[in-house]
Amino acid sequence: MRKQRWVSVVIASAGALLSTAGLMAGSAAASVTAARPATTTAKHGTTTAKHGTTTAKHGTTAAKHGTTAARSAATAPASRKAATSPAGVQLTDLVSSGTVSWTPNVFAGPSACNPQWFGTARNGRGCEHSTVYSTAVVNGEVIVVGAFTQACLPGPSSSGHCAAGTLVTTNDIFAYQLGTGQIDPGFAPVLDQGPVYSVVAGPNDTVYIGGAFNTVNGTAAEGVAQLSVTPGQPADGQLVPGFAGTVSGPVRALAFDGANALYVGGVFAKADGKREHGIARLNATTGAFDSSFQFTLGNAISRTSLGVEQTALTPDGNTLVIGGTFQSVNGQAISRIALIGTGGGLGSLATLDNWSAPILTNPCSAEHDYTRAIDVSPDGSYFVVATTGYQSAGGASICDAVARFDIGALGTDVQPNWVNYAGGDSFYAVAVAGNVVYAGGHNRWVNNECGNNHVCEANAVLVNGVAALDSNTGLALPWWQPQTLRGAGVTSLSVFPAGAAPGSNGGLLVGTDVNSIGGTFHGEEAIFPVTDTSTHLAGGPIESGMFSLGRPGGQDETGNGPAALCMDDAGNGADGDPVDLDTCTNANSQNWLIGSDGAILDNGLCLDTAGEGTTDNTQVVLATCSSSATQVWSPGAGDSLVNGDSGLCLDDPGASTSSGTQLQVLDCNGSGEQSWPLPVAQAPPPPPASGPISSEQDQNNSQVPCLESTTAKPKPGAPVELHTCVGGAAQIWTVQLDETLRLGGLCLDTAGEAADLGTPIVLGTCNGSPTQGWTQQPGNFLVNQGAPGMCLDDPGFNTANGTQMQLWSCNGGPNQQWHLPKV
């Protein structure tokens, strides 16, 4: 067992800091630069156990990250005003974990099952959920589409969470002002049916919508339409004159190139009257079919209709990524995802890229048609896909996962750069915002490959529906956990840039089917804004690249193969500490900072070679930061880390997968054991760590329960109970250096500071009592320091909301296992 320490790093010169927005997600582009620390103090970390002694070797070469150069940006004709929310938005920083208060609430309306607006469920019976499927920001407004019938301005629960007099009928589409939430009364298109599945910003203050409708405002507009977004003007919400595109079937996805081409994906046989299955390019002004863009999809996955369900376009408009139910394109064996060279736009001959990923040929055990969302990076070098499917039906797969692929990779054996598994829960949405990838679904966890509808991996993070991942490593940012109520899941994520509304720094739009997002009532949609625009270091875990695709020997969402290993400070903050591999746990000893002068730091010390050595097999240590060239590291090919003095690479001896293996430097050879993808997203905030305390158990409805106070404002004596994890202040605990667990400034305690069997657990005024100290033991048991041998216990395994916790003899049961906040 290892005691972690807190170390607070004080940066010597603010001018030397490097914004995470400036670190492009990609191996060579992620130059390690920042000022070194001047002073250090104690840093938090809860006690963790070492995991894993597997000695199996794994020497495969890890996939390279982000090596494709960004393509040049296409320029729209001067006569066409650019769309307000274009592809390729890179936010300046991580969005806040708190939502804005003013977004409208969206509701199913009087009928919870209304096939006219919700559509038919995949099983052919009943309806889909009322949900928000897509959003776009245009002309200072948010256009919301999906399957719903009502919306209102937010109000008190006593009035149904609607402000008086604001409830309006909004069948599958409406718009509101970004910054105030005021619903635009003029933007009220009348559809004959729905849902509307996709909305994208068009030129000259317009949007394109795609869905299952046949008419808009009484005019024929089958499957696709262009609408004006001009608040206060007669044209607001009206069809744009001249656009007359038609698609003979539900349109699931749209992409506009910012100039003259509109790409349409769905389940259809004709576009503009011309025979075309699943994917077409239309003239963005007239809707006319473009015959220079013709592709034949084939070999539909069993029990599915042939079509395209996701589209994503590189910012320059030169590459279109499509995802769907096909297993061949133009007669070539290409399964589920294909890349198309557009030729540059309307009228240019489009060609099929030499790109296919064998991992996509493997079916999932629950869903054969499992790709659910795709988004392209702001620099156009890679895309990220979100999937469903439960677990693999055999062999390596990306079922119930988020995965990154290089667009510039060529051939028939393209591998993901990284894969992040949920552990049996689906992902339905993804948005790439530069250094951060936001992923959503009904997933409870991320970093959870071996989980099977339960938390498994030591570094798993509870996110409940919405997660933030480092775009270069694929690992979760464990301290960003706003959470939702889960439900069917988050179905829409999109980012909008700074300046989209007066005073806005940009943000993340979330669409779902539930009414709790970020711990606050939000009916089916919310906004997480960028609130912190100060400069931040990049940082986080540095996982061995051998594990980027999952467990070596596994990669199939099981416990096969060793658990992921991360670079670790073996001594926790002492000069000369060995740097070894340890099971990834999100511990402070694995929380690295990426500095501006080539330094890589942990616990206030710099990554160095022992004795400043420069020869093969010299071991790697942490040392007091100095001007030594052996403390300078630069990214090399294949995510290698090259020592600035010797030119040798950081190396895992013999590709060991055993915890405790000390790292060394060795001649660079391009092997997997020399792959170390660096974090590019914002490093964690200073300690103490804060977040939910969740149970190992699930509730009967598959929700995860968390500890919270029964009172709206925590007060001494308030019972501590279980409640569905939804985020919000009532479930945000801090883990202090003195091993107290605090909520609202009060401490987790026993009633009357008693130590008897069955004593209820309450909040108490922090006073140093031994009963307020909790030590986390291996297995995630919380032992009370005032009652040796007694653990925090859920009585009778009762996970129902409102169950008060108690003291009980430690017995190893899941009702005594608790997951604490991590850095």
Side-chain angles (χ1 to χ4, degrees):
M1 186 178 1
R2 171 182 296 167
K3 280 277 191 180
Q4 309 296 340
R5 300 198 313 153
W6 291 357
V7 177
S8 176
V9 178
V10 180
I11 302 302
S13 169
L17 297 184
L18 178 67
S19 167
T20 55
L23 281 169
M24 295 306 297
S27 60
S31 175
V32 275
T33 58
R36 303 192 185 196
T39 60
T40 57
T41 60
K43 182 179 185 180
H44 162 71
T46 56
T47 303
T48 60
K50 289 248 188 182
H51 292 265
T53 55
T54 308
T55 57
K57 309 279 186 177
H58 179 74
T60 58
T61 302
K64 298 185 179 182
H65 292 242
T67 55
T68 305
R71 302 172 190 245
S72 59
T75 303
S79 60
R80 296 173 69 84
K81 182 178 176 182
T84 306
S85 58
V89 174
Q90 177 158 323
L91 298 180
T92 57
D93 217 331
L94 182 71
V95 298
S96 169
S97 59
T99 55
V100 302
S101 62
W102 39 260
T103 50
N105 291 322
V106 176
F107 302 101
S111 172
C113 180
N114 188 328
Q116 181 180 5
W117 304 114
F118 298 177
T120 303
R122 287 178 181 268
N123 60 13
R125 301 186 300 274
C127 302
E128 292 282 12
H129 297 276
S130 173
T131 191
V132 170
Y133 281 123
S134 184
T135 58
V137 175
V138 173
N139 199 16
E141 293 202 327
V142 180
I143 292 77
V144 183
V145 303
F148 49 80
T149 66
Q150 293 179 336
C152 70
L153 294 183
S157 58
S158 59
S159 60
H161 294 282
C162 286
T166 66
L167 184 65
V168 293
T169 298
T170 55
N171 292 326
D172 291 351
I173 184 169
F174 76 103
Y176 67 87
Q177 187 178 66
L178 183 64
T180 69
Q182 293 294 318
I183 296 173
D184 179 356
F187 189 90
V190 178
L191 313 178
D192 65 318
Q193 64 183 32
V196 180
Y197 294 110
S198 182
V199 58
V200 296
N204 304 317
D205 297 331
T206 67
V207 291
Y208 297 99
I209 62 172
F213 51 85
N214 296 300
T215 67
V216 178
N217 297 335
T219 299
E222 188 178 8
V224 62
Q226 185 182 18
L227 301 169
S228 292
V229 185
T230 52
Q233 301 298 314
D236 194 23
Q238 300 301 306
L239 290 168
V240 174
F243 184 87
T246 62
V247 177
S248 66
V251 170
R252 294 279 183 173
L254 297 170
F256 172 56
D257 72 353
N260 52 20
L262 178 68
Y263 298 90
V264 181
V267 181
F268 54 81
K270 290 184 179 181
D272 190 30
K274 309 299 189 300
R275 190 167 185 80
E276 190 76 357
H277 279 280
I279 184 68
R281 181 165 67 190
L282 305 181
N283 184 308
T285 302
T286 67
F289 176 75
D290 182 0
S291 60
S292 62
F293 184 96
Q294 293 193 42
F295 294 88
T296 302
L297 308 180
N299 194 15
I301 295 165
S302 62
R303 300 193 299 276
T304 70
S305 299
L306 185 64
V308 168
E309 296 182 337
Q310 308 91 32
T311 59
L313 196 61
T314 54
D316 61 10
N318 288 338
T319 301
L320 180 72
V321 185
I322 63 172
T325 60
F326 53 86
Q327 294 181 94
S328 69
V329 184
N330 290 356
Q332 298 184 37
I334 299 175
S335 186
R336 293 184 172 87
I337 295 177
L339 273 59
I340 293 172
T342 66
L346 192 72
S348 300
L349 181 64
T351 57
L352 182 65
D353 282 3
N354 178 24
W355 191 103
S356 63
I359 201 169
L360 295 169
T361 65
N362 288 354
C364 303
S365 57
E367 290 280 351
H368 298 294
D369 165 27
Y370 55 73
T371 61
R372 285 294 178 267
I374 296 172
D375 196 28
V376 171
S377 66
D379 68 353
S381 66
Y382 66 90
F383 68 89
V384 179
V385 59
T387 71
T388 182
Y390 189 50
Q391 293 184 308
S392 171
S397 70
I398 56 169
C399 307
D400 281 355
V402 182
R404 169 180 159 168
F405 292 88
D406 276 346
I407 287 175
L410 297 176
T412 58
D413 190 26
V414 177
Q415 298 297 318
N417 302 115
W418 50 254
V419 184
N420 191 311
Y421 297 95
D425 289 331
S426 299
F427 292 96
Y428 298 130
V430 66
V432 184
N435 300 324
V436 178
V437 173
Y438 297 98
H442 71 243
N443 57 302
R444 285 162 283 196
W445 303 279
V446 287
N447 298 357
N448 194 35
E449 179 181 3
C450 68
N452 183 357
N453 287 322
H454 69 279
V455 63
C456 175
E457 306 288 4
N459 66 332
V461 179
L462 177 71
V463 295
N464 276 333
V466 60
L469 313 178
D470 186 288
S471 64
N472 198 49
T473 67
L475 296 173
L477 308 189
W479 45 278
W480 195 82
Q481 297 174 274
Q483 305 192 58
T484 72
L485 194 58
R486 289 184 65 226
V490 170
T491 48
S492 172
L493 291 171
S494 60
V495 293
F496 61 91
S504 170
N505 298 311
L508 176 71
L509 290 151
V510 178
T512 182
D513 69 317
V514 299
N515 58 20
S516 178
I517 304 172
T520 303
F521 188 97
H522 288 288
E524 301 189 7
E525 62 107 18
I527 293 177
F528 292 100
V530 173
T531 57
D532 182 1
T533 58
S534 57
T535 304
H536 294 280
L537 290 172
I542 301 178
E543 180 185 63
S544 167
M546 295 191 300
F547 296 87
S548 292
L549 304 186
R551 289 169 168 249
Q555 298 172 15
D556 55 0
E557 305 96 71
T558 70
N560 297 327
L565 297 174
C566 286
M567 284 175 55
D568 183 86
D569 171 11
N572 296 292
D575 196 319
D577 282 351
V579 175
D580 66 358
L581 286 176
D582 196 4
T583 301
C584 299
T585 60
N586 297 320
N588 292 284
S589 60
Q590 298 173 2
N591 179 24
W592 298 85
L593 293 177
I594 311 304
S596 71
D597 54 0
I600 300 178
L601 307 96
D602 193 338
N603 281 331
L605 301 171
C606 283
L607 189 68
D608 201 349
T609 58
E612 300 182 355
T614 58
T615 58
D616 273 353
N617 306 118
T618 300
Q619 292 187 319
V620 175
V621 298
L622 284 172
T624 300
C625 296
S626 68
S627 59
S628 172
T630 56
Q631 294 183 1
V632 177
W633 303 83
S634 60
D639 289 311
S640 60
L641 277 178
V642 183
N643 189 265
D645 195 9
S646 64
L648 302 176
C649 280
L650 183 66
D651 182 85
D652 166 20
S656 172
T657 54
S658 297
S659 288
T661 300
Q662 187 169 359
L663 302 181
Q664 64 179 10
V665 289
L666 194 70
D667 283 335
C668 300
N669 56 33
S671 61
E673 58 264 32
Q674 292 186 353
S675 175
W676 309 97
L678 292 180
V680 294
Q682 178 182 333
S690 64
I693 298 177
S694 60
S695 173
E696 178 74 11
Q697 308 169 103
D698 276 358
Q699 297 179 308
N700 289 336
N701 60 0
S702 81
Q703 301 281 0
V704 178
C706 281
L707 296 184
E708 74 170 36
S709 168
T710 59
T711 57
K713 183 177 181 180
K715 61 183 181 181
V720 174
E721 300 177 345
L722 285 182
H723 195 280
T724 299
C725 298
V726 293
Q731 295 181 352
I732 302 300
W733 298 78
T734 59
V735 185
Q736 300 288 341
L737 180 63
D738 60 4
E739 295 190 295
T740 59
L741 305 175
R742 304 192 183 196
L743 178 71
L746 300 176
C747 283
L748 188 71
D749 202 353
T750 62
E753 298 180 358
D756 301 322
L757 194 72
T759 300
I761 302 299
V762 298
L763 289 176
T765 301
C766 298
N767 57 19
S769 168
T771 57
Q772 295 178 356
W774 301 87
T775 301
Q776 190 168 38
Q777 300 286 357
N780 297 318
F781 306 106
L782 285 174
V783 180
N784 189 276
Q785 295 175 0
M790 305 278 274
C791 280
L792 180 68
D793 180 271
D794 166 25
F797 301 85
N798 183 4
T799 59
N801 289 346
T803 302
Q804 186 173 3
M805 300 299 94
Q806 66 176 9
L807 266 187
W808 201 259
S809 299
C810 298
N811 56 34
N815 62 325
Q816 293 185 351
Q817 294 176 273
W818 305 94
H819 300 282
L820 297 180
K822 299 287 184 69
V823 295

